[in-house]
Amino acid sequence: MLQPRLWLRQAALSHQCLRPRLPPTRAYAAAVEGRPAEPVEASVAPSTAFFAPPTRDEPTTFAMRTYKPRTPGVRHLRRPINEHLWKGRPFLPLTIAKKGQGKGGRNNTGRITVRHRGGGHKRRIRTVDFSRTEPGKHVVERIEHDPGRSAHIALLAREDGGRKSYIVAAEGMRAGDTVESYRSGIPKELMDSMGGTVDPGMLAARTAWRGNCLPLHMVPIGTLVFNVGSARERGAVFCRSAGTFATVISKDEGARGSVGRYVTVRLQSGEVRRVSRDACATVGVASNAHHQHRQLGKAGRSRWLGIRPTVRGVAMNAADHPHGGGRGKSKGNVHPVSPWGLPAKSGYKTRKKRNPNKWVVQPRVRNQGKRRKAKQS
């Protein structure tokens, strides 16, 4: 059986790592050195009507699980440590089998439209609720791994014993937490506690908790959100993968000091967009933020994930790729192109200038085929 070990890594400097030393007396035991202390839950004294999820201090370092190199396939294997994940099967009524030609990158006519897809382990698709229109308090029963996405998912159950649902879990969310959706309006008991009028400060203190789903006009400026929607009728379309978030930076002014039609958010890419004031957003950061630091360790794990190999064009014959053929590693003194002759690099533009996206206030910085200059200190 593989012996796991812990590998510490600085969260700010992702290229630096500290390897723990193995004790001399036990050569095959796992070693833990410099592991951050267990977080202490803050004492919260809410009212009987509202319950805020406990706050947890985020450590400055995080540990990655490594393995003793008994085989070449585990020598470079790195995995995030997620001991809080559910070890059993998913909630089957909220899953459907993933079968058919869709697994191989084919369209409805059977032609390959996405290359390098196929095979992989048998899996079931989890039905995730990205709209969260159902009001009322929900209890997090467990946090699960979803093979179809990088972030973790949480299984919710209504406090009154209603139906269950899956949502994308927020970073720090654990089993037993209570979350609520305010997309259908402010509850009567919350309105009565504010004296019958909306107090923005008190409303934010009661609703802007991790994992709660709010319309964007109720989210305070500067709050980190994920699962951001674009319109009132649609569900979440932005910031759904692991560790992603957006920042609410401004709100349009309406009549009599109210919020206008649109709210401006900044994505992690630097793009600034306008979205509807009634679009959904979940407070917090998407879970599994250390997913980007994992290392598969061997090519077989990519095949288990349904990813097939990518062959370079210069390694092919001339009949198979424009870069193929010739003696040695030569692509024939031509610019990089796709197998069908479409330019692939050098800043080749594919977006139409006459059809700009009217919702983008400030586009993200693009490389335009040039090397990024080192930041001057």
Side-chain angles (χ1 to χ4, degrees):
M1 183 176 180
L2 300 180
Q3 296 290 335
R5 297 184 296 177
L6 293 181
W7 181 54
L8 295 180
R9 191 164 188 165
Q10 289 288 342
L13 302 177
S14 60
H15 62 278
Q16 294 183 358
C17 62
L18 300 175
R19 292 185 179 275
R21 298 179 180 177
L22 294 176
T25 56
R26 299 180 61 189
Y28 297 99
V32 180
E33 186 175 294
R35 187 175 182 179
E38 292 294 332
V40 180
E41 296 185 358
S43 59
V44 181
S47 62
T48 57
F50 304 97
F51 176 73
T55 59
R56 298 177 176 85
D57 298 330
E58 295 294 335
T60 57
T61 61
F62 62 94
M64 300 286 289
R65 176 170 284 121
T66 63
Y67 298 88
K68 194 173 185 67
R70 298 181 182 276
T71 60
V74 299
R75 179 178 296 276
H76 300 289
L77 179 60
R78 303 281 186 271
R79 287 174 174 170
I81 299 177
N82 297 310
E83 301 294 347
H84 62 281
L85 293 183
W86 173 251
K87 303 299 190 300
R89 298 193 67 186
F91 186 64
L92 291 181
L94 293 177
T95 62
I96 56 177
K98 184 177 182 181
K99 294 183 180 180
Q101 61 188 12
K103 294 184 62 176
R106 271 80 170 173
N107 60 2
N108 59 341
T109 62
R111 297 178 180 269
I112 296 178
T113 56
V114 181
R115 298 190 300 162
H116 315 135
R117 299 283 182 90
H121 197 282
K122 184 169 64 174
R123 61 178 66 174
R124 297 184 69 86
I125 299 175
R126 275 70 168 174
T127 305
V128 180
D129 182 14
F130 288 107
S131 299
R132 296 187 65 179
T133 56
E134 186 175 1
K137 296 183 179 180
H138 293 71
V139 179
V140 179
E141 288 194 353
R142 62 201 187 204
I143 308 295
E144 298 183 10
H145 164 72
D146 187 356
R149 67 188 72 252
S150 56
H152 298 152
I153 57 177
L155 180 62
L156 302 185
R158 288 182 58 92
E159 283 191 343
D160 55 4
R163 67 184 186 91
K164 299 182 180 182
S165 61
Y166 275 128
I167 65 169
V168 177
E171 183 69 18
M173 182 182 290
R174 295 294 184 270
D177 292 351
T178 303
V179 295
E180 191 171 354
S181 175
Y182 297 92
R183 294 199 65 187
S184 59
I186 302 175
K188 184 179 183 301
E189 54 182 359
L190 178 57
M191 186 65 73
D192 295 340
S193 65
M194 295 187 295
T197 59
V198 177
D199 185 355
M202 184 178 297
L203 182 64
R206 292 291 185 88
T207 60
W209 300 334
R210 179 188 58 229
N212 284 357
C213 183
L214 288 78
L216 276 169
H217 67 86
M218 290 179 56
V219 180
I221 294 179
T223 305
L224 300 184
V225 293
F226 70 101
N227 273 8
V228 182
S230 59
R232 180 174 184 173
E233 295 81 9
R234 299 186 62 185
V237 293
F238 302 118
C239 306
R240 307 196 317 188
S241 59
T244 56
F245 61 88
T247 308
V248 180
I249 59 177
S250 66
K251 302 177 182 180
D252 293 350
E253 294 184 1
R256 300 178 182 179
S258 61
V259 181
R261 296 178 59 186
Y262 302 106
V263 177
T264 307
V265 297
R266 178 186 290 113
L267 306 180
Q268 283 181 290
S269 62
E271 181 177 288
V272 179
R273 297 181 64 102
R274 290 191 310 161
V275 296
S276 173
R277 66 188 299 271
D278 297 320
C280 62
T282 305
V283 179
V285 181
S287 57
N288 198 16
H290 304 322
H291 173 78
Q292 60 177 335
H293 301 297
R294 67 169 186 167
Q295 296 180 17
L296 297 181
K298 65 178 183 179
R301 288 190 178 87
S302 291
R303 301 304 300 265
W304 298 344
L305 297 176
I307 303 174
R308 300 187 69 243
T310 301
V311 181
R312 295 171 296 119
V314 294
M316 299 182 186
N317 296 325
D320 300 324
H321 200 281
H323 298 170
R327 297 179 180 272
K329 298 179 180 180
S330 173
K331 64 178 186 296
N333 196 21
V334 296
H335 292 291
V337 294
S338 69
W340 303 275
L342 188 69
K345 293 183 179 179
S346 303
Y348 180 73
K349 298 181 178 56
T350 58
R351 296 178 181 267
K352 296 181 180 180
K353 293 184 178 180
R354 296 186 179 181
N355 187 23
N357 191 343
K358 65 178 181 178
W359 305 111
V360 177
V361 178
Q362 179 180 349
R364 64 181 175 90
V365 179
R366 298 181 184 274
N367 197 18
Q368 301 297 341
K370 301 177 182 178
R371 297 195 177 192
R372 288 188 175 92
K373 297 181 181 180
K375 295 182 179 180
Q376 298 178 357
S377 57

